[in-house]
Amino acid sequence: MEKKIITISREFGSGGRSIGREVAQKLGIPFYDKELVDQIAVESGFAPQFVEEHGEHSPGKSFLSYAFAPQGVPGVMNGMSAADFLWNIQCNVILQLADKGPCVIVGRNADYILKDRPDALHAFIHADMAYRAERIVRLYGESEKSPEARLQEKDKRRRVNYQHYTGRTWGTAQNYDICLNSSKLGIETCVDILVNLASK
């Protein structure tokens, strides 16, 4: 397999996690999503729920959210903020998993963390707003906010986090090897495309 590591970045509700899981199953390689969260939680000492929420999301929807984030206590977390400490642990865990062998990694800015690996294939999954809105209601149920507002808020926090730690713009095509529109192509076609690319 020429491309041993596949990273999946995705808009909320686009089906990126489902695509990544199916790709891993078809290739017979490990899939890291919740498992990655659990490992980061063990190494950082944070609760899995905290890692899930803050590992790829900014503290707020503005770039200023990092400027006003509480800083760590000297001697605790090396004096770093919780977000920065978590970022360092996350980088180390992702690098270790990639070194272990072929795998699929969803989210967590893995595309940037593994950007220098020639054996990595970086994909971004996006979809139309209506498709994503229908999908999150079907999967996660209704909430006080409209599906569109939930999508915009989640994506904005991912975008802010990504730019803060990578200096790059989240979702920009140049940052990935391939961008796929799951609402136009369908989940299975996206899976087949990535499997074929990884196998060649």
Side-chain angles (χ1 to χ4, degrees):
M1 184 190 307
E2 185 180 355
K3 299 297 185 183
K4 299 193 305 179
I5 314 299
I6 302 169
T7 69
I8 306 284
S9 304
R10 75 281 183 227
E11 289 182 329
F12 183 45
S14 66
R17 177 178 289 129
S18 299
I19 290 167
R21 184 181 296 109
E22 286 194 42
V23 168
Q25 288 174 350
K26 289 196 173 188
L27 293 173
I29 60 178
F31 171 71
Y32 296 116
D33 177 32
K34 300 295 184 185
E35 301 84 356
L36 177 58
V37 168
D38 292 341
Q39 190 162 338
I40 294 170
V42 168
E43 297 203 18
S44 67
F46 291 127
Q49 185 176 356
F50 181 88
V51 175
E52 175 75 28
E53 181 60 23
H54 296 278
E56 61 180 358
H57 298 143
S58 70
K61 292 181 285 183
S62 164
F63 293 106
L64 292 176
S65 60
Y66 285 100
F68 296 107
Q71 296 303 302
V73 178
V76 179
M77 298 191 300
N78 298 322
M80 292 185 286
S81 68
D84 289 347
F85 182 73
L86 185 58
W87 167 252
N88 284 339
I89 296 292
Q90 182 169 288
C91 288
N92 289 335
V93 169
I94 288 173
L95 289 168
Q96 290 167 14
L97 291 175
D99 284 339
K100 283 174 63 176
C103 61
V104 175
I105 301 174
V106 173
R108 312 286 143 190
N109 300 337
D111 63 286
Y112 177 80
I113 295 167
L114 301 175
K115 69 184 187 308
D116 295 325
R117 287 189 67 116
D119 60 347
L121 174 70
H122 305 298
F124 186 83
I125 310 298
H126 61 103
D128 298 344
M129 178 68 78
Y131 174 88
R132 295 194 291 139
E134 184 278 329
R135 198 167 184 278
I136 66 166
V137 169
R138 176 164 42 86
L139 293 176
Y140 308 119
E142 299 277 2
S143 76
E144 293 180 0
K145 295 181 181 177
S146 70
E148 292 77 12
R150 291 160 65 188
L151 292 168
Q152 290 170 352
E153 180 177 348
K154 193 101 163 184
D155 284 349
K156 189 167 187 178
R157 292 182 64 192
R158 283 181 180 168
R159 187 177 300 112
V160 169
N161 175 276
Y162 188 83
Q163 182 161 350
H164 177 77
Y165 285 110
T166 72
R168 307 198 302 190
T169 302
W170 180 76
T172 298
Q174 289 86 343
N175 295 335
Y176 313 94
D177 298 310
I178 186 167
C179 297
L180 300 172
N181 186 331
S182 57
S183 57
K184 295 287 193 294
L185 298 171
I187 297 293
E188 290 304 321
T189 298
C190 291
V191 170
D192 291 341
I193 289 172
L194 294 178
V195 168
N196 287 335
L197 286 175
S199 301
K200 289 182 178 179

